[in-house]
Amino acid sequence: MAFRVTEEEQGDWAVLRVSGELDLLTSPVLRQRVRDVVAEGRHALVLDLSDVFFCDSSGVGVLIATRRLIRSCQGRLRLTLPARGAVDGSHVNRVLAALGVRRLFDVYPDVESAVSERTQPLSA
């Protein structure tokens, strides 16, 4: 599966759907897409990582940089991982947990939950 980032809007939220491998070669693409979204004045961002099957440290670095950027704008960042990610662990979920940074993110099982103000994030 080739790396791809698609964008859509759901209410006040910009949703970036990421698929493929998030690694040294592809993470700059995601970093730029996030910057573009923020530069357009959209500070409520969902990164849908449901279709990311590999994430290395450069990918994690982009996620942390995105969190820092959104926080500097007083925005909101939410990640989505597969619905069963908290149970049997998606690759991204396992990497974030192994590095001790999972607790930094509000993680939801799907985009619909992430854009809802009624849904609480999954526990770390």
Side-chain angles (χ1 to χ4, degrees):
M1 171 187 284
F3 181 77
R4 190 171 73 186
V5 180
T6 59
E7 183 179 337
E8 64 185 64
E9 291 196 31
Q10 291 198 17
D12 294 334
W13 293 89
V15 178
L16 294 180
R17 294 184 187 266
V18 185
S19 61
E21 295 185 24
L22 185 55
D23 59 18
L24 184 62
L25 294 175
T26 60
S27 58
V29 174
L30 179 57
R31 183 184 308 267
Q32 188 58 52
R33 292 295 294 272
V34 167
R35 287 180 182 161
D36 293 346
V37 166
V38 172
E40 293 168 3
R42 295 180 289 160
H43 302 147
L45 177 62
V46 173
L47 292 180
D48 179 7
L49 306 174
S50 299
D51 291 329
V52 173
F53 59 86
F54 177 80
C55 180
D56 69 6
S57 60
S58 59
V60 173
V62 169
L63 298 178
I64 292 171
T66 297
R67 178 182 182 269
R68 193 175 313 125
L69 176 62
I70 293 294
R71 287 176 60 100
S72 74
C73 301
Q74 286 78 47
R76 297 179 291 168
L77 173 65
R78 295 178 177 176
L79 306 182
T80 65
L81 297 173
R84 296 179 48 132
V87 177
D88 60 0
S90 71
H91 180 78
V92 177
N93 202 32
R94 288 192 312 266
V95 169
L96 294 177
L99 294 174
V101 297
R102 166 67 174 75
R103 62 182 171 70
L104 298 176
F105 300 98
D106 290 335
V107 175
Y108 292 79
D110 52 50
V111 172
E112 292 72 27
S113 299
V115 299
S116 171
E117 296 306 323
R118 297 179 304 237
T119 309
Q120 295 296 314
L122 300 170
S123 60

